[in-house]
């Protein structure tokens, strides 16, 4: 752990530094327009010429003004501290000190990322549970039935070649027509993305016992179900956890994508969409970071359960 | 070949096994005739591809002969397998890493439906038999390779089958550990009076352990010599320096060489 600290910090600092530098040419057009409006003379011609000019060239020509790009109201690329401020305001500030926040009103504020994250999280978890259960069932079927192996596996693979962004609106429209809305369609999209890694991992895991292990059970005249419960299932546990880690992050992506086409008013996806409608780039980035933190926590949680489970299964620490 | 009161426990007559492979048929066993009496320790020795393991697998009902007959305890191998007539020890211990040593030995007992209390006494007894008492709660990774293989022998003994089929059980172990396990196996054989079929690559191992040595040769897999051992049942390790021992080893080696000259 300790040895990883320095490299990780170095990389994070490098990314932040790059981000600050990149924000200058990205925002230079708006910076110069604002400066001109304030009566400062700028290099690079009038607004029309500047619009066609490269951001890097403009930033170099107006080196003295470029730093203004770090404090614009509506930057193209918000600076890290602006995103951090937005994140703080829509989490701790809003919930702890805000009038509508959890501390003062007893429920989460509709303007806070915690509220939106919670909406997305519930759809993610429901979709993850459905996807995992479906994935395990399909894998068991595929391993035990050649017919299912031949018929289901190709469709499972095909299902993942369709871009989720294309199929998500259809799922939502079809389910809406059937009178189902709210968390379920999002969970279905989550499940659609997360069942696949579970199927692939579980099929591999259930098939992982070697011929000798299978022969051994045959010498005991063990039944197929004994072989499943005593050998195949325990053998598949490490594979299952590897799949679950991919599956839960896929679930989160699915839930967010499920919020995009519906014009949903709540959830991290809705937050990103609203941010892009109103040019609130800092809001988009803050929602992105919230999603990333959520995904990392979920994967971390599964890793923790994995370690506990494998230790209880006596695996060499 | 060997007469005994109850007749042979394993009897093979004109046994043939042909595998159909992509390169055409492979004659794994050809005209194998062998009777094994109760309580014998029979070693099968020969180069790779001579069919010694295949013969063991046919006896175990893991492969089906394509010709001739074989009976185990008066039944077909498949019936014998279903009657759980034998314990099988593979080259690798193959213990389940998620089960303790005791749990691994309990595996066949659970599958065969022994009662919980019976399971406990049997685990204790077989652990004692392979000199692993005190390791019941340990996991396989905490044991050396030799101890793991002893645990796998205990697993094969736990349900008290009369026949023990061992397929190069010590092949992956070093010489020193192998010697110790050979001694232990002889003690175990004396105490349990099981009928043991033992596949090996090692001439000293075969001669040291066996009451009878079956020499086989490949392409097609067949028996080229069967040697009755005149050594006493009680054998210290240094019997391997005796003239008798060396004479038998010499005959085994000649049998192996003759098999090769046929090609």
């Amino acid at each position: 752990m300790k040895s990883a600290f320095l490299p990780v910090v170095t990389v994070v600092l490098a990314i932040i530094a790059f981000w600050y530098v990149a924000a200058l040419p990205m925002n230079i057009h708006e910076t110069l327009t604002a400066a001109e409006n304030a009566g400062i003379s700028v290099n690079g011609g009038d607004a029309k010429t500047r619009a066609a000019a490269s951001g890097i060239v403009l930033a170099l020509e107006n080196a003295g003004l470029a730093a203004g790009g770090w404090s614009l109201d509506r930057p193209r690329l918000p600076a890290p501290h602006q995103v951090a401020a937005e994140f703080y305001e829509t989490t701790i500030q809003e919930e702890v000190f805000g009038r509508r926040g959890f501390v003062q009103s007893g429920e989460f504020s509709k303007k806070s990322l915690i509220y939106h994250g919670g909406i997305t999280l519930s759809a993610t978890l429901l979709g993850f549970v459905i996807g995992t259960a479906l994935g395990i069932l399909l894998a068991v079927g595929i391993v035990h039935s050649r017919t299912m192996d031949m018929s289901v596996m190709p469709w499972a693979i095909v299902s993942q070649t369709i871009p989720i962004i294309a199929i998500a609106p259809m799922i939502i429209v079809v389910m809406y027509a059937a009178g189902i809305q709210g968390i379920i369609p999002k969970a279905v999209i989550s499940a659609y993305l997360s069942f696949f890694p579970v199927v692939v991992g579980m099929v591999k895991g259930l098939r992982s016992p070697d011929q000798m292990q299978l022969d051994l059970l045959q010498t005991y005249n063990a039944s197929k179900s004994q072989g499943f419960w005593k050998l195949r299932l325990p053998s598949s546990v490490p594979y299952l956890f590897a799949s679950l880690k991919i599956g839960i992050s896929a679930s989160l992506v699915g839930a967010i994508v499920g919020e995009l086409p519906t014009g949903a008013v709540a959830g991290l996806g809705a937050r990103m969409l609203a941010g892009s409608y109103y040019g609130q780039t800092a809001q988009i980035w803050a929602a992105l970071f919230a999603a990333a933190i959520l995904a990392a926590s979920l994967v971390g949680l599964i890793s923790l359960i994995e370690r506990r489970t494998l230790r209880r299964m006596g695996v060499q620490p | 070949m060997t007469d005994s009161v109850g007749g042979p426990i394993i009897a093979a007559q004109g046994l043939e096994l042909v595998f159909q492979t992509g390169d055409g048929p492979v004659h794994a066993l050809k005209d194998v005739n062998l009777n094994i009496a109760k309580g014998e320790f029979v070693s099968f020795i020969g180069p790779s591809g001579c069919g010694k393991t295949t013969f063991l697998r046919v006896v175990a009902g893991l492969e089906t002969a394509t010709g001739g007959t074989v009976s185990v305890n008066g039944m077909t191998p498949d019936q014998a397998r279903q009657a759980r007539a034998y314990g099988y020890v593979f080259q690798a211990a193959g213990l389940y890493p998620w089960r303790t040593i005791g749990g691994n030995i309990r595996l066949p007992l659970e599958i065969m439906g022994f009662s919980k209390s019976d399971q406990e006494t049997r685990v204790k007894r077989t652990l004692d038999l392979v000199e692993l008492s005190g390791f019941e709660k340990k996991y396989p990774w905490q044991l050396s390779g030799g101890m793991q293989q002893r645990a796998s022998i205990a697993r094969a003994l736990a349900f008290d089958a009369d026949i023990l089929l061992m397929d190069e059980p010590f092949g992956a172990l070093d010489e020193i550990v192998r010697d110790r396990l050979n001694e232990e196996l002889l003690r175990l054989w004396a105490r349990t009076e099981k009928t043991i079929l033992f596949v090996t690559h090692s001439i000293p191992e075969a001669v040291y352990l066996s009451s009878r040595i079956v020499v086989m040769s490949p392409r097609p897999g067949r028996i080229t010599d069967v040697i009755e051992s005149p050594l006493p049942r009680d054998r210290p390790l240094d019997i391997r320096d005796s003239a008798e021992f060396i004479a038998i080893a010499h005959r085994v080696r000649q049998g192996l060489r003759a098999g090769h000259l046929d090609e």
Side-chain angles (χ1 to χ4, degrees):
Chain A
M1 255 340 229
K2 223 170 202 172
S3 60
F5 182 74
L6 201 63
V8 167
V9 167
T10 310
V11 169
V12 168
L13 288 178
I15 291 172
I16 291 175
F18 176 75
W19 188 344
Y20 270 113
V21 172
L24 298 178
M26 283 290 287
N27 298 333
I28 192 69
H29 294 88
E30 289 83 353
T31 312
L32 294 182
T33 308
E36 213 168 34
N37 291 345
I40 303 165
S41 74
V42 301
N43 300 326
D46 60 5
K48 218 172 163 192
T49 344
R50 287 203 310 269
S54 127
I56 295 172
V57 173
L58 282 178
L60 291 174
E61 282 176 348
N62 299 282
L65 296 172
W70 290 335
S71 51
L72 291 173
D73 273 347
R74 293 188 169 191
R76 267 190 214 172
L77 177 63
H81 67 268
Q82 290 178 303
V83 174
E86 167 76 15
F87 190 83
Y88 175 78
E89 276 163 28
T90 51
T91 51
I92 296 164
Q93 174 75 31
E94 183 72 18
E95 291 297 356
V96 177
F97 305 111
R99 190 170 45 81
R100 294 171 302 256
F102 187 73
V103 172
Q104 292 185 34
S105 74
E107 50 188 76
F108 289 116
S109 163
K110 295 209 165 25
K111 289 187 85 175
S112 94
L113 282 174
I114 296 173
Y115 167 77
H116 292 283
I119 300 280
T120 305
L121 179 64
S122 51
T124 302
L125 292 180
L126 183 60
F128 176 67
V129 168
I130 297 172
T132 302
L134 183 70
I136 291 175
L137 285 178
L138 283 178
V140 171
I142 285 169
V143 167
H144 283 91
S145 148
R146 206 179 138 64
T147 319
M148 268 193 83
D149 188 13
M150 307 282 276
S151 58
V152 174
M153 205 54 177
W155 287 108
I157 293 166
V158 166
S159 76
Q160 302 302 302
T161 63
I162 301 167
I164 188 63
I165 204 83
I167 205 163
M170 289 193 260
I171 292 175
I172 285 169
V173 168
V174 167
M175 294 192 80
Y176 184 81
I180 305 164
Q181 48 181 318
I183 190 177
I184 303 289
K186 288 198 279 177
V188 167
I189 295 166
S190 275
Y192 184 91
L193 284 186
S194 63
F195 88 96
F196 185 69
V198 175
V199 170
V200 173
M202 275 304 274
V203 166
K204 193 156 172 58
L206 291 172
R207 284 188 178 147
S208 64
D210 57 22
Q211 191 56 46
M212 196 205 85
Q213 295 284 10
L214 300 174
D215 282 347
L216 180 69
L217 285 182
Q218 221 190 328
T219 69
Y220 302 148
N221 196 29
S223 68
K224 250 189 159 179
S225 77
Q226 285 172 326
F228 178 79
W229 291 108
K230 294 197 187 296
L231 176 61
R232 289 191 189 274
L233 197 63
S235 302
S236 72
V237 170
Y239 295 84
L240 175 64
F241 275 108
S243 296
L244 291 184
K245 281 189 240 176
I246 305 169
I248 193 121
S249 38
S251 278
L252 183 67
V253 170
I256 290 174
V257 168
E259 288 162 354
L260 293 179
T262 47
V265 288
L268 292 176
R271 224 22 215 182
M272 291 174 198
L273 206 61
S276 83
Y277 281 155
Y278 302 115
Q280 294 293 338
T281 46
Q283 185 183 318
I284 302 176
W285 282 88
L288 268 176
F289 274 98
I293 291 167
L294 196 55
S297 316
L298 290 172
V299 172
L301 186 68
I302 292 191
S303 295
L304 195 74
I305 298 171
E306 176 183 30
R307 263 206 300 281
R308 288 256 171 104
T309 310
L310 292 183
R311 194 176 305 152
R312 198 174 308 156
M313 285 176 72
V315 169
Q316 184 169 5
Chain B
M1 207 160 282
T2 300
D3 297 307
S4 73
V5 191
I9 197 164
I10 292 166
Q13 258 111 43
L15 198 63
E16 305 263 339
L17 179 57
V18 180
F19 289 117
Q20 299 300 336
T21 71
D23 298 334
V26 171
H27 227 125
L29 290 173
K30 188 176 161 62
D31 195 24
V32 171
N33 297 292
L34 190 69
N35 288 342
I36 296 170
K38 188 165 168 41
E40 272 198 277
F41 194 128
V42 182
S43 282
F44 296 81
I45 189 167
S48 313
C50 71
K52 54 194 191 299
T53 293
T54 308
F55 179 73
L56 215 61
R57 290 176 63 85
V58 170
V59 170
L62 296 174
E63 310 279 359
T64 310
T66 49
T69 59
V70 60
S71 74
V72 179
N73 269 350
M75 296 175 272
T76 69
D78 218 42
Q79 288 167 336
R81 181 176 64 80
Q82 282 160 30
R84 286 136 179 179
Y86 62 84
Y88 203 111
V89 180
F90 292 87
Q91 177 164 12
L95 302 172
Y96 290 2
W98 57 88
R99 281 177 176 249
T100 58
I101 297 306
N104 269 288
I105 295 168
R106 214 172 288 119
L107 173 72
L109 303 175
E110 287 171 10
I111 288 172
M112 297 174 190
F114 286 83
S115 75
K116 275 264 185 298
S117 58
D118 200 9
Q119 287 180 18
E120 287 315 306
T121 41
R122 279 166 184 271
V123 167
K124 290 254 173 340
R125 197 184 64 215
T126 41
L127 275 173
D128 190 44
L129 214 52
V130 298
E131 297 168 37
L132 274 181
S133 304
F135 289 92
E136 186 180 346
K137 297 268 188 299
K138 293 267 189 279
Y139 281 97
W141 63 268
Q142 295 170 297
L143 270 63
S144 70
M147 288 162 98
Q148 289 187 23
Q149 196 52 278
R150 265 149 61 193
S152 91
I153 293 170
R155 184 178 58 186
L157 292 170
F159 48 98
D160 267 336
D162 291 334
I163 305 168
L164 196 54
L165 305 175
M166 307 181 85
D167 185 6
E168 295 188 48
F170 310 138
L173 305 175
D174 68 62
E175 195 87 16
I176 299 160
V177 177
R178 183 188 271 226
D179 281 354
R180 259 200 64 200
L181 290 183
N182 281 345
E183 268 189 296
E184 279 181 20
L185 183 59
L186 276 184
R187 269 206 299 277
L188 192 117
W189 177 51
R191 278 170 71 184
T192 59
E193 298 179 325
K194 304 238 181 257
T195 309
I196 300 182
L197 277 67
F198 188 96
V199 166
T200 179
H201 266 122
S202 156
I203 297 173
E205 189 171 66
V207 179
Y208 176 66
L209 291 173
S210 318
S211 58
R212 201 144 54 110
I213 302 155
V214 176
V215 182
M216 298 183 75
S217 93
R219 283 177 294 274
R222 64 197 187 279
I223 295 175
T224 50
D225 197 5
V226 178
I227 304 161
E228 294 281 343
S229 174
L231 299 176
R233 279 213 161 195
D234 190 22
R235 303 171 185 180
L237 261 181
D238 53 19
I239 202 170
R240 295 186 298 184
D241 300 323
S242 71
E244 268 177 318
F245 187 98
I246 292 165
I248 305 166
H250 180 72
R251 192 174 150 194
V252 173
R253 199 169 287 116
Q254 275 188 325
L256 290 172
R257 198 171 297 149
H260 268 285
L261 288 179
D262 286 355
E263 286 178 32

